[in-house]
Structure formats: structure tokens, C-alpha cells
Amino acid sequence: MNLASQGGDSSSNLLFVNFNQDCTSLAVGTKTGYKLFSLSSVDKLDQIYENDSEDICIVERLFSSSLVAVVSLSSPRKLKVCHFKKGTEICNYSYSNTILAVKLNRQRLIVCLEESLYIHNIRDMKVLHTIRDTPPNPHGLCALSVSNDNCYVAYPGSNQIGEVQIFDTVNLRAVTMIPAHDNPLAAMAFNPQGTKIATASEKGTVIRVFSVPDGQKLFEFRRGVKRCVQINSLAFNVDSAFLCSSSNTETVHIFKLENPKDKPQEEAHGWMDYFGQALKSSATYLPSQVSEMFNQGRAYATCRLPVSGLKNVCALATIQKLPRLVVASQDGFLYIYNLDPADGGECTLLKQHRLDGKQESGPLSDTGPALAQEKSSPSSSGGVTYAATVRQPQQSTPENVPPGKHLPLTPEWGAESFANVLRRNPGGPQEINWPQVDREPESQPYEDVDQGAVGGSPEAAAIGQLRLDDDSEFPPMTHKND
């Protein structure tokens, strides 16, 4: 979830939130750095690492290793690959345009720009291949399979209709094109085995699952018919039995991936049930659009978020050996729900945690759903894109703030306007105790179009020393850069 794509929220410190590849940790990028949290417990959000540096708009962790890839809002064309356990930067690369997304697995690192994708070998960070002249992709929509055997990357094949291009990142060849939707794509995700891909369009009413690499449609689920929504995220669980979908509404849907022949036969208990079964049996004689609707699956389980209209990202995780639905929201909270894999139904909210790592009192929290419902819900559509945001001068600092000064991000100032700060300091901006913020210089201009990504470092060879197939070699640990 990249909040910089909406120009950021002036009242929030949050810029980016995402789960790692196996949903065992959470990465949070803020205007003052980034944090990594462990998802090993429902009751506590354990902070693994904190880095206080600059405005981090992308931070991706490689499974449970110490390897992270970060991009800052102040240098949006520069990618840094770091070893957070040692507190060192392994290498950095600069690109021709704004970095919109970064995806990692144990073999490849993908950098997505608006009209190109760079495929790096994660062992030495060399550029193996560049997919150029892709259709305009201003939101950086792409997906990378985490499987070593089926190491595919997917990206939109058109900005007019919902075509999905599948590319083999190991053999460096195009695999197939899937005509998934009539409308442009809004979200997509591979299953952990890399054998299925789920897609949703900007219309947001239907979610489809296709087999990879042949592109055959396996499942079709209807999220709703009353209104079109913006699908924010899709995610499979570890064994690909369930698929969850979050949107800009308050409802998160969980679908069960089972073939019709595997479903238990439902008994008719009323005239509506008999009517529905009669329609299904006669669906072969109806128009294709009508018959497809009868064959579409419905949500197996749902949960209701305390807010709507906000961006979010969902995942199906196993926490303390039990299946959980986790949702990180733009309102600054991580919500953890119980999921009943046997009966489905309404998921129960177990716990919520602040994404800034601060502790809350009470069974859920003092300032959770009740306060979140009072917050205004910015529109999820019609905002400027992330690429457009970084091309413009940032307006987060008021005009009359002295050059080189920034509003302190302290608890008492976090949600306070600049005008109120001035009222408490009658002497004007000169008498305010401004904290100095050291900015890293901008990345160097892009040099050669044919060269591709520019950068690298002799230390990049050290990345090959990481045993990326052994997460236990680099266990989570608490470490902070001052």
C-alpha cells in the first residue's frame, strides 16, 4: 500500500505499508524513516527494527532475512538495498523515472517504473533484463511470484482493457497474455506456488483466478453488484485454498477456491432455494452473461472494517498456528481478525494495533474503531498518481516555514496544524525550536538510456553471501540506527 500515490496525507505520518512474502512481518514507511514489525503474535505487534532517516515511500523485506529494499520520497528514482541487521547499505541504483513499486523473491528483484520494468539478479543486483515500452502504468501495478520453480512477473498489457502479461524472470521470456477483464486492471496477485494468479479490474465487481502459465480461467467470484468499487489488494493464503480481497469499502471478502464438484450439495429449505436451483439448472439455456452470473462464487467469509473510503492492504496469515485475516489501513491501524476455515461467515475482530508501534490499552484499543469512524474518509479515486506527485514540488511544509526547517513530528504536534503552532509561539517562526532534518542529496541524473539502471557498488557482491534460502540464518532482531 503506497500512500504516496495519493499525494500523502498531511495529517498522517504514514507513507507505505506492506506485508513480506510469507506474511510473517510488516514493513511501514513513514515521513521520518521506516519500521519492521513481527506478526508472530495477535496480542502484540513486536517491533523488529527502526530506522530514523528520511521519508520512505517504499520498503520491501525479503522474507525473514535482513535484506530490505527502500525508496525515499525525496529521491524517488533511487533504490537502496540494505542489510538492516548490520545497518549497512549494500548497493544503490538510479533509474530514468520514478520508482513506483519494488518486488522481491529469493531469485529476482523487480523495479517497476511507469513504462518499464527492470529485472535484477538478487544475488549480485545485476540487471538481467529490461521490459521497455510497457503500457502506461502510473500506479506501478505488478506482481511477482515468490516460488523458485515458477518465478513469474505479471504486469498490465494494456491501459484500456484488463490484459495481464506473464513474463518468466528466470528464462527471460514472455509466457502468455491473459485477457482477464473488459476494464483496466486494478489489482493482481500470484499464489505462493506461482501456479495461479488472481485479478480484479477498476470496476471491482468480479474477481477472477487463472492458471499459470496456460492462462485458463479457474474461478470467478462476484464481490458485489450494487456498486463499483476500487479493489485495493488481493492475497492468497499459504496453501491457495482461500483468496482475500480488500477495497475502499468497509467489507473485506474471503473466497474459498473449490471446484463445483467439491462443494457439498445444498438442500432447499424454502421457495427461494428451489427457485435458485431451478435457475441454475436452466442456466445453459440463458444468455452467456446471465449464466456466468449464476456460476460465479460468493464470499465464503467477510469482515467489516471500522472505516471505509480508505486505502488498505490485506493478507491471510498463520499466527500462532491459526489462520488470521490481517488488514493494514490508511487510518494507521493493523486489524487482526479470526477466520473460521470450516464454516466461514463473519470474521471476528481480535485485536488492533497502531502502525507507529505505540501501545494501546483496553481489549482492542482506546482509539481504535470508534475514533477511526470519526475520521474523514478521503476519496480513493480521482487523486493524483504517485508519479505525478513526485514530479511536483512537495507542499507538505507550509510556505512560511524557514528554508531547511521542518515541522517537528512529536506526539503533541503530530495532528496539529501549523497555524496552531504559530499561535503558541507569538514571536513567529524564528522563535520556534525547529529540528534540523538532514536530507540526502538527490540521486544523480539518468545517464544512458541503453545502459538501464545506473549505480551499483563493490559491496553488492556481499549480497551473494546471504543465504537467501535459509531465513533462520538471519532471524529478526531489534536494531535501531541512531
Side-chain angles (χ1 to χ4, degrees):
M1 178 178 67
N2 192 338
L3 298 179
S5 62
Q6 296 181 330
D9 186 353
S10 58
S11 63
S12 172
N13 198 31
L14 200 63
L15 288 178
F16 181 89
V17 182
N18 201 14
F19 302 97
N20 68 338
Q21 295 83 356
D22 55 3
C23 299
T24 57
S25 69
L26 179 72
V28 178
T30 70
K31 296 176 182 178
T32 57
Y34 69 91
K35 299 178 181 180
L36 302 175
F37 297 95
S38 171
L39 296 177
S40 58
S41 171
V42 170
D43 296 324
K44 187 179 180 182
L45 189 62
D46 291 317
Q47 182 172 302
I48 301 170
Y49 174 79
E50 180 178 5
N51 178 280
D52 294 326
S53 55
E54 52 188 341
D55 42 5
I56 300 299
C57 57
I58 297 176
V59 51
E60 297 282 356
R61 184 185 183 190
L62 178 63
F63 288 91
S64 296
S65 73
S66 299
L67 194 70
V68 292
V70 296
V71 179
S72 70
L73 197 59
S74 55
S75 299
R77 295 186 293 110
K78 185 176 183 180
L79 170 71
K80 296 180 182 179
V81 179
C82 304
H83 191 296
F84 75 80
K85 181 179 178 182
K86 297 180 180 178
T88 59
E89 178 180 316
I90 298 174
C91 64
N92 65 75
Y93 277 83
S94 293
Y95 301 84
S96 60
N97 207 338
T98 299
I99 299 172
L100 302 178
V102 178
K103 305 294 181 181
L104 305 89
N105 63 22
R106 290 188 175 95
Q107 297 190 72
R108 299 291 182 257
L109 182 147
I110 308 297
V111 176
C112 179
L113 310 186
E114 186 168 354
E115 295 185 350
S116 58
L117 290 97
Y118 289 84
I119 301 174
H120 293 258
N121 182 359
I122 203 167
R123 298 279 177 176
D124 54 17
M125 279 302 294
K126 290 182 179 178
V127 179
L128 300 177
H129 187 77
T130 304
I131 304 174
R132 300 186 186 276
D133 301 321
T134 62
N137 184 14
H139 297 291
L141 179 61
C142 65
L144 177 65
S145 168
V146 301
S147 169
N148 290 337
D149 298 326
N150 301 298
C151 192
Y152 302 117
V153 63
Y155 60 95
S158 170
N159 62 343
Q160 302 296 322
I161 58 176
E163 292 182 353
V164 181
Q165 291 284 352
I166 306 293
F167 189 89
D168 186 339
T169 65
V170 173
N171 299 308
L172 303 178
R173 61 180 182 86
V175 175
T176 188
M177 187 280 292
I178 303 174
H181 301 271
D182 294 331
N183 296 287
L185 295 170
M188 54 186 172
F190 283 102
N191 68 332
Q193 295 76 27
T195 57
K196 298 181 180 69
I197 185 169
T199 65
S201 73
E202 291 181 354
K203 190 175 181 181
T205 55
V206 174
I207 296 168
R208 296 187 173 103
V209 179
F210 300 89
S211 62
V212 178
D214 56 17
Q216 296 297 313
K217 185 172 69 173
L218 301 177
F219 303 95
E220 184 169 282
F221 302 105
R222 178 160 291 275
R223 194 212 56 82
V225 294
K226 294 182 179 179
R227 52 181 172 172
C228 298
V229 302
Q230 175 65 46
I231 300 293
N232 289 329
S233 67
L234 298 168
F236 290 88
N237 74 326
V238 65
D239 62 358
S240 304
F242 295 95
L243 170 70
C244 64
S245 165
S246 69
S247 67
N248 60 343
T249 70
E250 68 280 2
T251 306
V252 178
H253 296 80
I254 301 173
F255 304 97
K256 189 172 184 179
L257 278 65
E258 57 180 355
N259 294 318
K261 62 181 180 180
D262 298 331
K263 294 182 181 179
Q265 185 67 32
E266 297 179 359
E267 296 183 2
H269 297 290
W271 72 271
M272 282 299 294
D273 292 335
Y274 284 110
F275 180 67
Q277 290 183 4
L279 286 177
K280 288 182 179 179
S281 62
S282 62
T284 55
Y285 305 101
L286 298 173
S288 59
Q289 294 88 345
V290 178
S291 60
E292 285 180 3
M293 183 175 294
F294 283 116
N295 292 325
Q296 289 169 346
R298 297 297 191 268
Y300 183 74
T302 59
C303 83
R304 294 181 66 85
L305 299 173
V307 292
S308 64
L310 298 181
K311 213 170 179 185
N312 51 52
V313 58
C314 65
L316 293 169
T318 300
I319 303 178
Q320 295 171 320
K321 299 182 180 181
L322 293 174
R324 309 294 187 191
L325 170 67
V326 288
V327 185
S329 174
Q330 185 181 351
D331 66 357
F333 283 88
L334 173 70
Y335 300 98
I336 303 178
Y337 292 84
N338 180 53
L339 172 61
D340 187 344
D343 298 325
E346 185 73 17
C347 299
T348 305
L349 178 62
L350 300 176
K351 198 75 175 179
Q352 62 187 43
H353 303 283
R354 291 173 55 132
L355 293 176
D356 58 10
K358 295 182 180 178
Q359 298 296 319
E360 299 287 350
S361 60
L364 295 178
S365 78
D366 284 341
T367 60
L371 180 63
Q373 288 175 348
E374 298 175 3
K375 296 182 179 180
S376 59
S377 300
S379 174
S380 62
S381 60
V384 296
T385 65
Y386 171 50
T389 300
V390 297
R391 293 192 192 107
Q392 302 171 356
Q394 299 300 314
Q395 302 295 330
S396 59
T397 306
E399 293 181 359
N400 52 347
V401 172
K405 309 294 185 179
H406 299 268
L407 281 173
L409 295 174
T410 58
E412 65 269 20
W413 283 40
E416 189 172 11
S417 68
F418 181 63
N420 289 337
V421 174
L422 289 178
R423 291 191 191 100
R424 294 194 289 100
N425 295 268
Q430 291 75 16
E431 294 189 4
I432 300 177
N433 184 22
W434 301 99
Q436 294 291 336
V437 179
D438 296 329
R439 293 282 185 182
E440 196 171 295
E442 289 283 345
S443 56
Q444 295 300 314
Y446 186 66
E447 297 176 2
D448 185 355
V449 174
D450 294 330
Q451 186 177 356
V454 178
S457 166
E459 296 180 3
I463 200 171
Q465 300 174 7
L466 299 176
R467 290 182 57 190
L468 303 179
D469 58 346
D470 185 5
D471 295 338
S472 62
E473 183 175 352
F474 296 94
M477 63 172 290
T478 303
H479 182 78
K480 178 180 178 180
N481 268 356
D482 293 322

